[in-house]
Amino acid sequence: MIKNYSLWFVILLSSLILFASCNKDDEIVNPDNQNKIVLKGNIPSLYKNSMIKINGGQNVSSDSTITKVIVFYPNGFYTIANVVDGKFSIEVEKGTPAFMIFAGPNDNYLGFLSLRDGFESIPLVKVSDNVTTIDLQNILLSNKVGSPTHNPLGTEILLSDEEQQILSMFDDFFYPIVRNPDVDGNGKIDLLENKFYRLQVLWFYMGGNFGSNLTPSFTPPLRYDGWKLAFSAQEDNVPEFVTFFYPWNPSAPSQSEQTKYLPQWNTTVYFSRMINESLPIGGIYKIYFKNQYLNFDIPDQSSAFRNCPIIVPTVTLNSDSSIQKVSWTYYNASGSGVVDPAAFAARVNFGIETFSRSYNSPNIEMPGNQFTLDEKIYWNTVTRVWISYHDIFDNHYIFGYDK
C-alpha cells in the first residue's frame, strides 16, 4: 500500500492550478498564449419563422430558439457569440479543451456540441498549424445533443484514435456540466450568473519499484490506493465545508477534509476524503452546498483507472551519486508502448522522499519532460519517488515508485 499519501496530497494541494471564471462581457486574454482560431457553424434546420424546428418538424416556443453559443474552458473562462439567421462564429483558444453549449434568449440551456459519442469536449490541442478556422457546418440537435456534419477530429485536430479514446475518458467529469450547466437548478446557465461549479478526480496509483535500477519496473494493470473528489465553487459567502454524497451508498455521506481558497479568482475548492471502498461508478454525485444539493451525473469511471496512461520517472546521477535530474516517459495503460503526452497532459510535478526529508519539484509545464534538481540529494538515501501528471481537464494522476 502506498505510504504517506496524505503528505503527497498536501504537496499536490499547493501545486493545483485550478479554476477561474469571468463574466459574460469579458474577453478571454492570456498574455502567454494569443494563439486563437475561429469556430463557426450553422443551425439552420432549427429555425422556422423564429421558432425552433426539431427532428420531426414540430415547432417549439420562441424561448427555445437558440440565440447564443457559449464556449467555456476547464478553468471557467468563457466567451459568447450570438446566433444570427442560424449562423455563428466564435473565437477560441488553441492548446486547451473547450466545451460548446447552446442557450436561448433567457439564458436557458438548450443543448451542447458533441463531436462523437461520449466526447463532450472540443480538444483544441494538436491543431494543425495552418488552421485558422474550423467550420463545423450544419449542427443537428437531437435530445439536446448537437452533432456537426463536419467533424474536425482527425482532420484539423490531429488526434490519433488512441488519443481520442484517452480524451473521451478524461473529459467525463465535465459530462454533467455540458449536459446540465444549470447545476443549481434555478433555470439559468450558471456561467451566465458568474457562477461555476465542477468536479475533478485525483487518482493515487501504486506504480512499481526501482530495485537496483534508475528507472523503476512496473506491471500493468497498476493497482490503485484510492482516489479523491474535488469540488470547486466560484461564488461569494461559501461555507467552511461541503458534504459529498456517493452513488454507491447515498445514505453515508462525508464532509470535505481539506479546503483551498484562491482569492484571486474568488474560488473555493473542497476535497473529499480518500476513497477506496468503491471505484467511481456511474451515477449521481451530490454536493450539499449553501443549503442546496448540487447534482453531478457522472458516467461510469470504474474502469478508467486501468486505462489511464502511466508516467514513469528516470533518475540521472552525477559522478558523486547525487541526483542530477529526473526525466519521465508516458506509456499506454498496458505498458506495451509509449504515448505522446501532448494530447492529454498539461503539467508534471514530482517528489523525492529520503530517510530524513522530502524534496518537491515545482510544476513543469508541457512540453517539458525533465527537471534538474537545485538541491543535493544522494540516491542511496532515497526511499521513494512519486510523480504526478495533471491532464488538460485538471484531473490528477499520482504514481508512487518505491526504492
Side-chain angles (χ1 to χ4, degrees):
M1 181 174 182
I2 290 179
K3 304 171 185 175
N4 296 330
Y5 69 72
S6 60
L7 173 63
W8 295 10
F9 179 68
V10 170
I11 295 164
L12 281 166
L13 190 62
S14 66
S15 70
L16 298 183
I17 297 178
L18 290 162
F19 335 111
S21 71
C22 61
N23 66 46
K24 66 181 181 180
D25 298 318
D26 285 342
E27 291 287 336
I28 296 175
V29 177
N30 180 346
D32 297 322
N33 180 11
Q34 293 295 335
N35 295 324
K36 298 182 179 181
I37 61 173
V38 172
L39 289 180
K40 67 178 185 177
N42 309 317
I43 321 178
S45 62
L46 304 183
Y47 284 82
K48 184 176 182 181
N49 298 325
S50 298
M51 308 283 281
I52 281 191
K53 188 178 181 182
I54 300 182
N55 300 347
Q58 73 273 21
N59 288 335
V60 187
S61 62
S62 60
D63 65 355
S64 296
T65 301
I66 295 174
T67 61
K68 302 182 184 78
V69 169
I70 305 165
V71 170
F72 70 95
Y73 302 87
N75 60 11
F77 281 24
Y78 67 93
T79 189
I80 298 174
N82 291 323
V83 177
V84 180
D85 295 329
K87 300 179 184 297
F88 70 88
S89 178
I90 190 166
E91 194 173 56
V92 295
E93 291 275 1
K94 291 170 60 177
T96 179
F99 304 86
M100 180 180 291
I101 57 178
F102 308 112
N106 296 316
D107 294 342
N108 50 309
Y109 171 70
L110 294 176
F112 72 98
L113 181 75
S114 177
L115 296 182
R116 48 169 269 198
D117 185 37
F119 215 105
E120 285 77 37
S121 65
I122 309 170
L124 297 169
V125 294
K126 301 186 76 172
V127 176
S128 180
D129 290 338
N130 61 353
V131 171
T132 58
T133 299
I134 295 177
D135 186 356
L136 299 169
Q137 300 178 12
N138 291 333
I139 297 175
L140 308 176
L141 266 74
S142 177
N143 296 321
K144 295 190 176 182
V145 180
S147 302
T149 53
H150 171 66
N151 190 336
L153 292 175
T155 53
E156 292 95 339
I157 301 175
L158 304 177
L159 295 172
S160 67
D161 289 343
E162 181 180 44
E163 291 167 338
Q164 291 182 40
Q165 184 64 34
I166 291 170
L167 291 180
S168 69
M169 175 177 61
F170 283 0
D171 76 358
D172 278 352
F173 275 84
F174 274 90
Y175 176 96
I177 301 176
V178 296
R179 290 178 178 264
N180 179 29
D182 175 25
V183 177
D184 61 6
N186 69 352
K188 293 190 176 182
I189 293 172
D190 297 330
L191 284 168
L192 302 185
E193 298 182 292
N194 298 321
K195 295 181 289 189
F196 185 54
Y197 308 116
R198 65 158 290 189
L199 291 178
Q200 67 178 132
V201 65
L202 298 89
W203 287 102
F204 293 81
Y205 288 93
M206 304 177 192
N209 198 291
F210 280 92
S212 60
N213 302 309
L214 296 177
T215 299
S217 60
F218 64 98
T219 303
L222 298 184
R223 295 170 59 198
Y224 84 105
D225 196 46
W227 55 284
K228 284 177 174 275
L229 279 178
F231 164 71
S232 74
Q234 192 273 328
E235 194 171 341
D236 294 326
N237 303 315
V238 298
E240 293 184 6
F241 60 87
V242 301
T243 304
F244 292 86
F245 292 79
Y246 311 102
W248 59 86
N249 191 359
S251 63
S254 65
Q255 288 186 358
S256 53
E257 293 190 346
Q258 294 94 6
T259 302
K260 185 175 180 65
Y261 178 59
L262 306 174
Q264 68 272 40
W265 296 324
N266 191 32
T267 296
T268 305
V269 188
Y270 303 88
F271 296 89
S272 77
R273 63 178 174 82
M274 181 70 84
I275 302 165
N276 47 36
E277 74 274 16
S278 174
L279 289 164
I281 62 173
I284 303 295
Y285 292 74
K286 291 186 177 183
I287 309 296
Y288 188 68
F289 171 79
K290 295 181 69 171
N291 299 316
Q292 63 181 330
Y293 291 95
L294 304 179
N295 295 327
F296 296 87
D297 187 1
I298 304 294
D300 182 31
Q301 300 291 295
S302 59
S303 64
F305 82 101
R306 294 184 180 274
N307 295 306
C308 296
I310 301 166
I311 185 170
V312 180
T314 293
V315 174
T316 300
L317 303 181
N318 294 308
S319 58
D320 64 353
S321 295
S322 63
I323 298 175
Q324 178 191 104
K325 66 180 180 180
V326 176
S327 56
W328 46 86
T329 303
Y330 298 81
Y331 291 86
N332 58 28
S334 67
S336 61
V338 298
V339 292
D340 180 5
F344 61 85
R347 62 194 65 89
V348 169
N349 64 321
F350 64 87
I352 300 171
E353 298 178 21
T354 74
F355 295 116
S356 60
R357 67 188 182 97
S358 295
Y359 171 87
N360 308 307
S361 79
N363 286 325
I364 299 97
E365 301 292 327
M366 285 290 296
N369 62 356
Q370 61 181 20
F371 183 78
T372 300
L373 269 64
D374 51 6
E375 296 182 23
K376 183 77 76 172
I377 300 176
Y378 290 96
W379 183 237
N380 63 0
T381 68
V382 173
T383 59
R384 183 180 296 108
V385 175
W386 63 263
I387 188 166
S388 167
Y389 70 86
H390 312 199
D391 73 26
I392 58 177
F393 304 98
D394 213 21
N395 300 303
H396 301 263
Y397 309 83
I398 305 99
F399 299 79
Y401 297 93
D402 289 330
K403 178 174 176 288

